[in-house]
Structures are given as structure tokens and as C-alpha cells.
Amino acid sequence: MTDVPNTLLGKVMSVLNAFGADDDELGFAELGRRTGLSKSTLHRLMGDLVDARLLDRGPRGYRLGGHLFQLGIRASVERRLVEVAIPYLEDLYERTHETVHLGLREGHEVVYAAKIGGHRQATSPSRLGGRMPLHATAIGKALLAHAPPQVRAEVLSAPLDRRTPRTVITPGSLRRQLAAVRQTGVAYEFEESRVGLACVASPVLGHDGAVVAAVSVAGPTTRFDPRSHAASVHAAATGIALTLVRRANLTTGT
């Protein structure tokens, strides 16, 4: 349970944010526990949110509504980015036949904006719209390496969550890895988010050098060597970046 802003919008957001990436439906009691709202307040909000199609009633409780999805795909930056990225992600999947991701940084986490995986995709903690800590994934390290210095300092000074025995939790080690990412344009993960999973990632950089997103390919350590796919991942990230710049120039007429 978190502190709820004492405004109508704050209470609405507390309800919507109560749903995690893996939550199909949540019951009224669980929503009350997660939001800290009183039963009467929560009951009124749920009714209004259902009427607005921001929530739907399901057989076991409530789920996020279809109108939220419609609003989400109208978000201009993310929509344009995913539209540009998808052909490159599909090409990357055809080259590797492993799980391909597009991720964005939000705070100290990576948010998965796109995911392509076949029938034999590796078991991965990633979910479309889900989050993972930046330091524990290759795609997160690619984003963190090119994040503003203040963000890197915040992550390196905070406790680093150990997801597996191989998660990098020593600030010095992580700092050296991030420096290597900035130099080579490639980040790696070896069983740091999940045992048995390896990954390679590369940042998508804007014309000003700021990181826009990152691309990764992940596969099981039994058959996947991320180093052998570094060039392909880097090429995909570069292709996305160049296409974004070209489209921006066409829009502005430059």
C-alpha cells in the first residue's frame, strides 16, 4: 500500500497503477489493499471507471478496460517508435529465432514496449508493458549507460536488487560495465535476471546522443551465445535510430 494523493485524479491513478503487468483481474478487496482507499471511496471510483471503460468487470473482479488500450496506442512518441522499430525487430527475429525486445527507460526501470518470440522462446521475466530493474538486464544496462549522469548516480548509489546469484550488485562492477557499453554500443546479460537466460542489447540513440530506447535479443544459455549476435542487434538499433531521424527531418522539412 502506498500513500494516495488526496485528489480525484490521484485516487484514479492509484487504482489504475494497482494493476501489475501480470494481473489479468483483481478483486475489490485486493484493490483496496493495494490502493489504501476506503471501501466507500473505492466503490464509487470503480463504478465511474467502469462507466468510462477504463475498467471492465470480469468474472473474478476487475481488469483494465479497452479504452485504456485505445488511449495508449495514441501516445505519439511511443507509437511512432514502435511503428518504426517493428520491421527491424522482425528482421532481428528472423536472423536469430530468439526473443526480441524493444524497451524504454522509466525512472530506474526498463519498460518493455514490444516483444517478439516464437514457439521456442526462452522463459523470460519480460512482459509487454512489464518492468525490470535497469541493472539486471542487458536492455536495462544499454539504457542506463546512456541515461543522464544523475540517473546513473542514483542507480549506482541505491541498493542493487539481486535477482539471481549472477546479478551484478556491486556498484564498481556495474560502473565498469556501463563504461564498456558506452564504448562498444553493446550490453550483455549472463543469467542476471533469470537463471539460464542470456541477452545482448544495444541502445537506440537520438540525433543529440540521448537514448531513446534499446533493442535486445535473449535466449537460453544452452543454445544462445549473445556475443555472436552483437553485430546484428547493434545494426538493428542503428537502423531504428536513423529511421527516426529521417522521419523527424521529413516532418520538419529539414
Side-chain angles (χ1 to χ4, degrees):
M1 186 179 73
T2 58
D3 293 334
V4 179
N6 193 25
T7 63
L8 177 59
L9 179 58
K11 292 171 183 175
V12 168
M13 291 307 299
S14 71
V15 172
L16 298 180
N17 287 330
F19 289 84
D22 296 326
D23 293 323
D24 293 325
E25 290 185 6
L26 293 176
F28 185 86
E30 178 61 16
L31 281 167
R33 187 187 70 80
R34 294 189 184 188
T35 63
L37 295 169
S38 68
K39 288 184 178 180
S40 58
T41 298
L42 184 59
H43 188 269
R44 287 195 303 272
L45 275 179
M46 302 302 281
D48 290 342
L49 290 171
V50 168
D51 290 342
R53 295 178 52 235
L54 297 178
L55 290 180
D56 292 330
R57 284 194 180 92
R60 297 181 303 278
Y62 295 85
R63 56 176 177 260
L64 295 175
H67 192 51
L68 275 177
F69 174 77
Q70 294 171 13
L71 292 174
I73 62 175
R74 294 176 197 166
S76 59
V77 174
E78 288 82 0
R79 182 184 63 193
R80 184 171 65 250
L81 173 61
V82 173
E83 286 175 350
V84 167
I86 284 297
Y88 293 95
L89 301 182
E90 290 176 339
D91 287 347
L92 197 52
Y93 173 75
E94 289 303 320
R95 282 176 174 271
T96 64
H97 291 285
E98 300 291 355
T99 306
V100 179
H101 300 102
L102 178 73
L104 312 174
R105 183 183 68 83
E106 247 186 49
H108 297 175
E109 297 176 311
V110 53
V111 179
Y112 293 93
K115 179 177 181 178
I116 300 175
H119 295 295
R120 66 172 195 158
Q121 63 180 295
T123 302
S124 166
S126 63
R127 299 286 186 276
L128 188 61
R131 298 167 179 264
M132 286 290 289
L134 293 171
H135 73 280
T137 64
I139 197 167
K141 292 177 194 175
L143 292 166
L144 182 57
H146 293 275
Q150 180 183 348
V151 174
R152 291 201 301 274
E154 290 170 354
V155 172
L156 288 165
S157 63
L160 298 173
D161 181 34
R162 186 189 292 275
R163 292 301 180 104
T164 76
R166 299 196 64 178
T167 306
V168 177
I169 61 169
T170 305
S173 297
L174 181 58
R175 186 178 290 108
R176 287 190 293 273
Q177 287 193 11
L178 298 179
V181 175
R182 289 191 294 274
Q183 183 177 12
T184 64
V186 178
Y188 294 103
E189 172 200 342
F190 295 96
E191 299 187 279
E192 295 163 48
S193 65
R194 182 184 290 272
V195 173
L197 187 73
C199 186
V200 55
S202 188
V204 177
L205 302 178
H207 64 89
D208 58 355
V211 66
V212 176
V215 176
S216 73
V217 177
T221 53
T222 53
R223 66 167 184 255
F224 181 73
D225 180 0
R227 289 160 293 206
S228 65
H229 298 287
S232 296
V233 173
H234 189 265
T238 302
I240 295 169
L242 292 175
T243 304
L244 287 172
V245 171
R246 186 165 61 248
R247 287 197 176 189
N249 290 341
L250 289 173
T251 300
T252 59
T254 59

